[in-house]
């Protein structure tokens, strides 16, 4: 069995043998490396959707063999029916979602698509073969697991670094694409000359930001902040909630929150969010925390109903729209409901 795999909630991190756990690091925008205490994993684990599992490369090899054996109808603790539930897509991924939107032929050297999501696994095709893949992460650790079952190939890779950076995604992607080509005995299109630039050189999608990410923050209040207050939505993302005052404007997205500052430009419609992660194990100063950029646009009636999010240190742009159900509207609806209920009560009494 996988005797070296466990839920972090079941272990005391400090009691594990020294040298048995890869040291997690956080890299600040200035390039400095900050070592993250192993004990932090104990705090993060219960919040993870998959339960915060720790494993070893040896155990992951056992897991991949079990999965591939099940696919090939060989002896395995899994059944092919279980794989079907995990791998069959239950939702379709929007074409412009994430970095893979830049990687369809004819602009990309090989055919690679990411089109669906199954029971916890992304589905797609590489060189015409169905593939199934997903990453996992915690503060300072990033892993990736890829299956190409038609050729009984499984690839597992791990990195130490910032789990919210697309750089980690691209590095992992380059690793498994390179490995797949080796196992498939296909021509290596990723080489020593171009692998460190991946995916630059192939990206042509106009949805990537050309603005410098590190904007200068303009100190002071945000004029007319009420124009931006509300809930901003995009189907595959958690809602973004903006609220507060000119002097204290706040950002919330699921477990993440932050303070919103006006960007130092002439538009008055671009903002920088200093993002606080759910657990800040190393007490980073604001200057080293992750950042996001928000850009708002007005419609012809002068109302703000569109927002672009450039998340963390990536150059990906994600479009959000203002929800028709804003916190203020909810308050009005509640007041109206109470009035109607009260009126109906008086009517019955009368």
């Amino acid at each position: 069995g996988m005797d070296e795999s466990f839920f972090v909630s079941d272990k005391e991190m400090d009691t594990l043998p020294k040298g048995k756990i890869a040291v997690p690091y956080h890299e600040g925008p200035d390039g400095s490396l900050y070592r993250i205490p192993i004990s932090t994993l104990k705090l993060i684990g219960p919040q993870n959707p998959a339960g915060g599992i720790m494993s070893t490369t040896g155990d992951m090899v056992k897991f991949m063999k079990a999965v591939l054996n099940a696919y090939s109808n060989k002896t395995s603790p899994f059944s092919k029916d279980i794989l079907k539930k995990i791998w069959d897509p239950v939702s379709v991924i929007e074409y412009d979602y994430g970095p893979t939107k830049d990687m369809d032929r004819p602009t990309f050297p090989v055919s690679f698509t990411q089109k669906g999501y199954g029971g916890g696994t992304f589905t797609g095709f590489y060189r015409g073969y169905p593939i199934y893949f997903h990453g996992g992460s915690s503060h300072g650790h990033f892993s990736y697991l890829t299956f190409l079952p038609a050729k009984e190939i499984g690839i597992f890779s791990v990195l130490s670094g910032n789990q919210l950076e697309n750089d980690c995604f691209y590095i992992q992607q380059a690793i498994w694409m390179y490995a797949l080509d080796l196992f498939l005995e296909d021509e290596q299109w990723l080489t020593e000359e171009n692998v460190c630039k991946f995916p630059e050189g192939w990206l042509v999608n106009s949805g990537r930001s050309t603005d410098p990410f590190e904007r200068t923050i303009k100190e002071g209040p945000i004029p007319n902040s009420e124009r931006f207050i509300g809930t901003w939505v995009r189907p595959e993302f958690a809602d973004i909630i903006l609220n507060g005052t000119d002097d204290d404007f706040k950002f919330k997205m699921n477990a993440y929150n932050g303070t919103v500052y006006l960007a130092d430009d002439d538009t008055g419609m671009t903002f920088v969010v200093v993002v606080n992660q759910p657990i800040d194990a190393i007490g980073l100063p604001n200057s080293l925390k992750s950042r996001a950029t928000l850009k708002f646009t007005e419609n012809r009636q002068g109302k703000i109903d569109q927002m672009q999010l450039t998340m963390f240190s990536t150059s990906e742009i994600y479009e959000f729209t203002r929800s028709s159900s804003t916190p203020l509207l909810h308050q009005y609806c509640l007041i109206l409901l109470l009035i109607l209920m009260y009126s109906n009560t008086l009517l019955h009494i009368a």
Side-chain angles (χ1 to χ4, degrees):
M2 297 173 62
D3 299 328
E4 293 188 309
S5 302
F6 54 86
F7 294 97
V8 296
S9 57
D10 295 340
K11 294 277 187 178
E12 293 298 332
M13 298 294 102
D14 295 334
T15 64
L16 295 175
K18 292 184 178 179
K20 291 287 285 184
I21 300 179
V23 177
Y25 288 92
H26 177 94
E27 181 181 1
D30 62 347
S32 299
L33 293 178
Y34 296 82
R35 183 168 179 166
I36 299 175
I38 293 295
S39 57
T40 303
L41 300 176
K42 180 80 171 180
L43 303 175
I44 298 172
Q47 302 181 32
N48 289 344
I53 296 175
M54 293 193 72
S55 188
T56 62
T57 52
D59 268 8
M60 290 307 299
V61 168
K62 294 177 183 178
F63 175 75
M64 289 189 290
K65 284 182 176 180
V67 169
L68 294 172
N69 283 344
Y71 178 85
S72 302
N73 295 313
K74 299 176 183 177
T75 302
S76 173
F78 305 129
S79 69
K80 212 163 186 178
D81 288 339
I82 290 178
L83 296 186
K84 183 176 176 61
K85 291 178 180 179
I86 296 173
W87 287 350
D88 280 3
V90 294
S91 63
V92 177
I93 296 176
E94 187 178 343
Y95 178 76
D96 69 346
Y97 173 74
T100 53
K101 69 174 181 285
D102 302 301
M103 298 178 184
D104 277 342
R105 275 185 180 269
T107 58
F108 204 52
V110 298
S111 58
F112 168 57
T113 56
Q114 175 180 318
K115 296 302 181 186
Y117 194 80
T121 305
F122 290 105
T123 66
F125 294 86
Y126 183 75
R127 292 188 180 270
Y129 292 100
I131 57 173
Y132 307 93
F133 51 98
H134 208 299
S137 64
S138 64
H139 283 244
H141 288 144
F142 195 99
S143 62
Y144 222 87
L145 182 64
T146 305
F147 288 104
L148 195 156
K151 293 293 185 179
E152 297 188 340
I153 298 173
I155 299 168
F156 176 68
S157 58
V158 286
L159 294 175
S160 179
N162 304 354
Q163 80 276 17
L164 295 173
E165 308 291 351
N166 261 357
D167 285 348
C168 282
F169 174 89
Y170 284 131
I171 293 170
Q172 299 275 19
Q173 197 171 57
I175 290 172
W176 64 253
M177 285 182 174
Y178 184 86
L180 283 180
D181 286 346
L182 284 176
F183 289 127
L184 293 171
E185 298 182 348
D186 272 316
E187 180 182 355
Q188 299 293 133
W189 61 273
L190 278 170
T191 66
E192 293 179 3
E193 287 73 29
N194 62 28
V195 68
C196 290
K197 298 178 181 179
F198 177 84
E200 298 301 331
W202 297 286
L203 302 183
V204 296
N205 193 284
S206 59
R208 296 177 67 84
S209 171
T210 56
D211 294 333
F213 178 79
E214 291 298 335
R215 294 179 178 276
T216 304
I217 292 175
K218 184 181 291 185
E219 298 291 344
I222 295 176
N224 304 312
S225 62
E226 68 276 2
R227 299 184 67 202
F228 310 100
I229 286 176
T231 301
W232 299 83
V233 298
R234 179 183 172 96
E236 71 273 18
F237 277 72
D239 293 350
I240 292 177
I241 299 173
L242 299 177
N243 213 337
T245 65
D246 290 1
D247 295 314
D248 187 25
F249 202 50
K250 296 298 184 182
F251 165 99
K252 180 171 175 55
M253 186 178 186
N254 205 349
Y256 295 87
N257 63 81
T259 303
V260 182
Y261 298 91
L262 189 64
D264 190 13
D265 62 14
D266 297 327
T267 67
M269 301 284 279
T270 303
F271 300 85
V272 176
V273 183
V274 176
V275 180
N276 297 312
Q277 299 184 21
I279 296 174
D280 184 4
I282 48 182
L284 289 173
N286 281 345
S287 60
L288 297 181
K289 288 183 179 179
S290 297
R291 296 189 178 192
T293 300
L294 306 177
K295 271 187 176 182
F296 296 87
T297 54
E298 291 181 329
N299 59 24
R300 293 182 178 179
Q301 289 73 41
K303 294 183 178 180
I304 298 173
D305 59 0
Q306 296 288 327
M307 179 185 74
Q308 292 181 342
L309 167 70
T310 306
M311 195 158 46
F312 308 111
S313 65
T314 76
S315 55
E316 297 292 331
I317 296 175
Y318 299 98
E319 300 280 351
F320 282 74
T321 57
R322 187 193 291 271
S323 171
S324 58
S325 299
T326 62
L328 187 60
L329 183 59
H330 284 154
Q331 293 174 22
Y332 287 144
C333 289
L334 180 60
I335 293 172
L336 178 60
L337 179 62
L338 290 173
I339 291 173
L340 290 174
M341 290 174 62
Y342 182 66
S343 301
N344 193 40
T345 301
L346 291 181
L347 182 64
H348 281 295
I349 292 175

